[in-house]
Amino acid sequence: MRKVLLPALIIIAGSLLLIRVFYLQIVDDSFKLKSENNAIKKEYDYPERGYIYDRYGKLLVANQASYDIMVIPREIKEDLNVTEFCALLNITKEEYDKRIAKAKVYSPRLPSVFLAQLNKSEFAAFQEKIRKFEGFYFQKRSLRDYEVDYGANIFGFITQVNENLIKKNPYYNSGDLIGQQGVEQSYEEVLRGIKGVKYIQKDKYNREIGSYKDGKYDTIAVAGEDINLTIDGELQKYGQELMINKRGGIVAIEPKSGEILALVTAPSYDPGILVGRQRSKNYTLLYHDSIANPLFDRGLLAQYPPGSPFKILTGLVALQEGVINEQTTFMCHHGFSYGRGRFMKCHGFGPHQLHNGIYNSCNTYFAQSYMLTINKYKNPGYAVDVWSNHVKSFGLGQFMGYDLPTGKRGNIPTSKTYKKIYPNGGWRSTTIVSNAIGQGEVLMTPIQLANMMATVANQGYYYTPHIIKKIEGKKIDAKFTTKHVTTIDKKYFPPIISGLFDVYNFGTAHGLNVPGIDICGKTGTAENYAKIDGVRTKLKDHSIFVAFAPKDNPKIAIAIMIENGGFGATVAGPIASLMIEKYLRRKITRTDLETRTLNRSLQVEYAKLGGINEASAIESTPKDSILKAKIVTPKATTKTDVKKITIDSTQEN
């Protein structure tokens, strides 16, 4: 048996090897295609990117034809008329030499982009004479054609892939385009489609002689899928208009679904300026605009102390922990003393219970409630973790999992936070009481604030905020239809909502109501200080407002943050009322609020922060929240000249 086994194994192995060789050489000659690479030219057929629509089917982003001039350095003839070539493409001889040198570094024999993104008129003259310039050919592509001048932070942009990405992802070649930022990046694989390829046979003189193997290996381009966003285009545009000459963010969410209705950041820019040959130049201008910082999405990235809107969570946690009820009463004497001469100012006076504590925004009431929550447990570290876990169940202090490629966690402190701050211990509820009113170590982004209000509107649950509504032929990610339930019992939400409703009737937003719409909201005014030249300096307060409407069966939850805007009811509050009415009614009846908001400018405040004189700021700042191609806001000398604002006070309104 042993004598037979070894020869049998040799025969079987040899047979398998012969079969494989026969298959590769006779049946499957795809490896031959690769081995004959020098004699075969690849021509790519680039598909159109998928169109982008809003939630109602309005076209936001389409495509336009574009042409790249490609070069294969090894095939350029020595007698090429460089002067004529440069004149046709409107470039200098120096620029020509620089681009050729760069192409040779990439590869002498592989094609790379010589000049990208020519439009039809720029390409027309060159097309007629392209046969005179061997080694050069054109590659047709499609660029974005923006139907609107808003939403740049939502869309993102497309740009050429870099060499690092080409090495990591074999799908991309030199000159290919890829989505960056916004939905262009998040849904790149959906929007880009699949490029087709044709293999062209060459003879020994490098002349094209036809399709390789009669097109056996050619593939057809597949267009990208169209997508519908959750964004209401009309609401997004209106929000952008209301943010003229202001800085901050607006985020609106449909509570029952988690769909993002508006995602406004200001200042922003016209997405159309990042298309075509001027894209790189315009991007550089936007990037170095350290005063307006239009590339910074304040709705997703800006982390602020949330101020008084956070009192909503302070009240809910205290109710859940059983340390207060609706009848619990605290006396307020224009503030709250909490030891060693420390005093938290408040505009309230007299007895406060949960209901009027909310609509009067009483610091004393919520500071006392917070301290009772912490003091319920003997160990303050354990108590803070209990409080923190309740708050985090609203999606705070973590990446929210939405479908945009940028974001910040915010910060909800835990016992670990205070162990680092106070390594020797000794801290207690009075040490950290500023958390109660949304200051202290608490930080939130506007989208987290909006999601918090959506959760309150739903009385204890939320869906992960998302911006995709529909992908043609595909299902959206299941995580966007998964319900997240908080640790707060549903029975504790109605008394909070009742107080939020009376914020508009008797409280801090009584002048902002919209007749016929029951709005629940909360003002916030956060003091902020900054160290300027080493000196702690008081700056104008941030204006904050959160709301949802209608009170019953809510359709929209919204958060507004206006940097250095003053009282919450002064700047952010009117914007909330206007956005809510615009979404629910598609028209505006509070034209007084609209006129006041559109005419309000905070440029003087921002000029002070940037070290620019007031007259210069007013004269040179665009009267629009969207930066156009040739408009640049006043420059600081360097990025480090921009002052970092740290909000660290405890006064709230």
Side-chain angles (χ1 to χ4, degrees), residues 77 202-207:
K77 300 298 182 183
K202 296 181 180 181
D203 63 15
K204 63 181 180 180
Y205 300 107
N206 204 36
R207 295 175 301 194

Side-chain angles (χ1 to χ4, degrees), residues 459-500:
Q459 299 188 36
Y461 71 89
Y462 70 91
Y463 292 95
T464 300
H466 54 283
I467 207 159
I468 192 71
K469 188 171 182 67
K470 177 184 175 184
I471 302 174
E472 193 68 35
K474 300 180 184 294
K475 290 184 178 180
I476 65 171
D477 197 316
K479 72 178 181 179
F480 300 134
T481 56
T482 300
K483 182 186 288 189
H484 303 275
V485 181
T486 71
T487 58
I488 308 298
D489 293 341
K490 184 176 180 179
K491 65 182 179 181
Y492 295 122
F493 285 90
I496 294 288
I497 291 172
S498 178
L500 295 174

Side-chain angles (χ1 to χ4, degrees), residues 357-411:
I358 292 173
Y359 72 69
N360 284 330
S361 195
C362 179
N363 285 343
T364 298
Y365 182 88
F366 290 98
Q368 294 270 40
S369 299
Y370 178 78
M371 289 178 61
L372 286 175
T373 301
I374 301 302
N375 293 335
K376 176 182 176 180
Y377 302 94
K378 292 182 179 180
N379 184 330
Y382 178 79
V384 166
D385 287 339
V386 170
W387 167 83
S388 180
N389 289 334
H390 283 308
V391 173
K392 287 181 177 179
S393 72
F394 286 75
L396 308 182
Q398 56 196 296
F399 292 117
M400 300 189 69
Y402 49 72
D403 51 344
L404 286 166
T406 190
K408 291 288 186 180
R409 290 178 181 269
N411 187 59

